[in-house]
Amino acid sequence: MATTKITKKSDGTLEVPDRVDIPFIIGDGIGPDLWHAAVRVFDAAVETAYSGTRGVSWKEVLAGEKAFDQTGEWLPQATIDTIRDHYVGIKGPLTTPIGGGIRSLNVAIRKALDLYVCQRPTRWFKGVPSPVKRPELVDMVMFRENTEDIYTGIEFPANSEDGSRVKDFLQHEMAVDFNFTPDTAIGIKTVSETGSKRLIRAAINYAIEKNLPSVTLVHKGNIMKFTEGAFKNWGYEVAETEFSSHTYTWSHWERTKAEHGELKANSELKAAETTGKVIVKDVIADNFLQQILLNPQDYSVIATLNLNGDYISDALAAIVGGIGIAPGANINYQTGYAVFEATHGTAPRFANTDSMNPSSVILSGVMLFEYIGWSEAASLIVRALQDTILQKKVTVDFFNQMTGGELVKTSEFATAIVDKIKVDFDRSI
Ligand code: NAD
């Protein structure tokens, strides 16, 4: 019998069978409501796009509260093994266990599979209420480094024995000139050349593959020179050494300007833009947060460190309608492993209310379908979601911000999309 598992070909790309098993984690809090809605949309899109010649068998694996109740573990090893065995998975939001040594189940999954890219696309769907005047100008894909930075959890509390040993070492062995007091807590920021370069490499590859105009390195290198400043420098190095025929960098522009004057540098840049080269540039993180409001059209693919990425992705999500419509993926482009997930949490107050917006999970599924090459199913979903919002059938998060909307439940919103998928497809044939 033919396999129903994704496998890896000798050239490193994924081989996806027409009947494919994909593991899913249902998630805690609002997770089950969103999943039950989203999976109906996924199945309708696949069935419609491929007239039954392709199909997904969703295979549940356990994590979070459901796993704890059934197995006594928050994240059973079998869950990680199954996702690894199938290459891709999709998950709902998970509660962060209080105590017990796990800081976050999401971080634990990313770590176990070394999912070093946190990819978050942000685009606006017509009709979605937005706090800005021109949300249609926002069309960005963020590549956030997922394994390093101050997120590694290397921290020592104020007034602790360990903390004072670290402070002693810094003061006495490293001659650090800072007035550490006993009540100074301390955290360590780690940024490696390998970690930075693989993230930026993935971002540039993505821009080239999708024919996008630029990659912007967002950093705070003016202050943190050896970590964030190095991230920027390594980014330019990757672009210039590995992608020289596909990219033009601002650091190259600076060198040309210094050697041959601004006129020559500008004409090089213009030529690069007109021949479709990806422009690799950089922006300081605080400036970037105002630029996404003032000149969002200037940015396309973003490569940034973990903490900057965390802030920026929520700010971007707010511009295009909030976290109810913000999808995400955690990917290792070297091994092929990928876990798709909404960016929001479990919103426990709304668990089992059938009221929250499932677009975040639905669009995470769109990313999954694109990742496995089922772009026809992905496009059908995007179009039907857009049509449903244009009809003003919306969940409470959008309803509260618009006039003349029709408030629908999570499940009803999914039904409307499923109906649209069928209508849109019939109309297009
Ligand atoms: P949250 O994202 O769960 O909710 C914040 C608010 O955002 C909610 O009260 C709700 O108003 C809104 N919201 C969230 N999802 C929505 C949706 N789909 N549609 C409409 N509105 C939506 O953040 P929180 O309350 O800070 O965290 C709750 C729990 O989730 C915590 O245990 C946290 O650790 C966990 N968490 C998990 C993930 C993840 O699994 N990826 C991410 C963040 C937080």
Side-chain angles (χ1 to χ4, degrees):
M1 207 177 90
T3 180
T4 49
K5 278 190 201 163
I6 293 176
T7 51
K8 202 154 148 179
K9 292 190 267 193
S10 53
D11 66 1
T13 58
L14 298 181
E15 170 103 55
V16 182
D18 285 339
R19 307 262 155 220
V20 65
D21 292 343
I22 296 183
F24 75 94
I25 294 168
I26 199 158
D28 298 324
I30 58 174
D33 274 356
L34 302 189
W35 174 258
H36 293 309
V39 76
R40 287 195 289 121
V41 172
F42 301 155
D43 288 342
V46 170
E47 172 64 30
T48 308
Y50 308 114
S51 314
T53 60
R54 279 180 172 169
V56 179
S57 173
W58 304 99
K59 211 175 147 111
E60 183 166 9
V61 289
L62 298 177
E65 283 164 6
K66 190 167 181 182
F68 190 74
D69 290 347
Q70 289 188 20
T71 70
E73 286 181 79
W74 287 95
L75 181 60
Q77 184 57 39
T79 294
I80 298 293
D81 292 343
T82 306
I83 296 174
R84 192 180 278 124
D85 200 32
H86 291 76
Y87 283 92
V88 304
I90 182 164
K91 65 172 278 292
L94 295 171
T95 305
T96 296
I98 311 288
I102 297 186
R103 290 170 72 90
S104 150
L105 295 171
N106 305 303
V107 174
I109 293 169
R110 291 171 199 167
K111 214 165 161 177
L113 296 167
D114 191 22
L115 304 173
Y116 61 87
V117 171
C118 176
Q119 191 186 102
R120 291 183 174 173
T122 310
R123 57 158 288 198
W124 181 67
F125 283 84
K126 276 186 217 135
V128 171
S130 160
V132 303
K133 285 189 210 137
R134 305 278 312 270
E136 71 278 11
L137 298 181
V138 177
D139 190 1
M140 300 184 207
V141 181
M142 150 110 67
F143 280 63
R144 165 184 167 194
E145 206 291 322
N146 224 359
T147 64
E148 301 190 318
D149 205 354
I150 52 173
Y151 279 58
T152 50
I154 310 170
E155 289 195 296
F156 304 95
N159 302 307
S160 69
E161 167 73 24
D162 284 348
S164 78
R165 285 171 62 195
V166 175
K167 286 179 275 184
D168 276 354
F169 171 77
L170 291 173
Q171 218 149 26
H172 300 120
E173 310 259 339
M174 305 300 291
V176 168
D177 182 22
F178 182 77
N179 179 28
F180 291 111
T181 57
D183 66 350
T184 305
I186 204 153
I188 292 183
K189 182 177 175 82
T190 62
V191 178
S192 72
E193 180 174 353
T194 308
S196 301
K197 283 188 168 173
R198 67 178 182 172
L199 181 273
I200 295 161
R201 193 175 290 123
I204 297 176
N205 263 322
Y206 183 91
I208 294 171
E209 225 169 76
K210 310 261 175 199
N211 222 358
L212 296 170
S214 66
V215 172
T216 304
L217 309 165
V218 180
H219 62 91
K220 191 74 189 155
N222 52 334
I223 303 296
M224 293 170 273
K225 296 187 191 309
F226 299 139
T227 49
E228 304 230 351
F231 176 86
K232 173 191 78 171
N233 295 338
W234 289 323
Y236 281 135
E237 203 179 305
V238 167
E240 289 176 9
T241 56
E242 300 178 24
F243 298 98
S244 62
S245 52
H246 290 94
T247 62
Y248 183 83
T249 66
W250 274 15
S251 58
H252 189 93
W253 183 90
E254 294 280 0
R255 287 196 302 273
T256 308
K257 185 181 149 196
E259 286 169 26
H260 307 286
E262 193 163 341
L263 218 59
K264 166 101 173 120
N266 282 346
S267 80
E268 261 186 24
L269 178 60
K270 191 102 210 127
E273 281 168 351
T274 43
T275 53
K277 282 193 170 182
V278 176
I279 308 301
V280 180
K281 51 189 176 179
D282 76 278
V283 177
I284 305 250
D286 38 346
N287 181 22
F288 187 67
L289 284 168
Q290 65 164 337
Q291 290 303 325
I292 58 177
L293 293 169
L294 299 175
N295 300 302
Q297 71 282 359
D298 291 348
Y299 302 97
S300 173
V301 176
I302 311 306
T304 193
L305 298 109
N306 213 336
L307 179 63
N308 296 334
D310 205 354
Y311 296 152
I312 294 164
S313 52
D314 273 31
L316 281 172
I319 296 176
V320 298
I323 49 180
I325 195 163
N330 300 287
I331 304 174
N332 182 320
Y333 281 98
Q334 291 157 352
T335 58
Y337 301 140
V339 176
F340 297 81
E341 63 170 345
T343 64
H344 58 70
T346 57
R349 224 155 45 87
F350 301 100
N352 307 314
T353 58
D354 194 21
S355 67
M356 292 287 101
N357 193 341
S359 301
S360 51
V361 179
I362 291 171
L363 291 171
S364 300
V366 166
M367 293 177 76
L368 186 156
F369 286 132
E370 282 168 354
Y371 186 75
I372 64 170
W374 292 17
S375 52
E376 300 82 0
S379 305
L380 274 182
I381 297 173
V382 169
R383 198 158 63 158
L385 178 71
Q386 173 64 88
D387 288 351
T388 306
I389 294 170
L390 275 178
Q391 279 196 330
K392 296 198 164 193
K393 280 190 183 179
V394 289
T395 45
V396 64
D397 49 332
F398 290 173
F399 178 79
N400 283 341
Q401 297 178 60
M402 66 204 292
T403 45
E406 180 191 341
L407 177 62
V408 293
K409 292 175 180 297
T410 310
S411 52
E412 292 166 342
F413 185 69
T415 303
I417 298 175
V418 167
D419 293 345
K420 279 267 161 227
I421 285 174
K422 293 180 179 144
V423 171
D424 285 349
F425 186 76
D426 288 345
R427 216 182 278 143
S428 68
I429 51 175

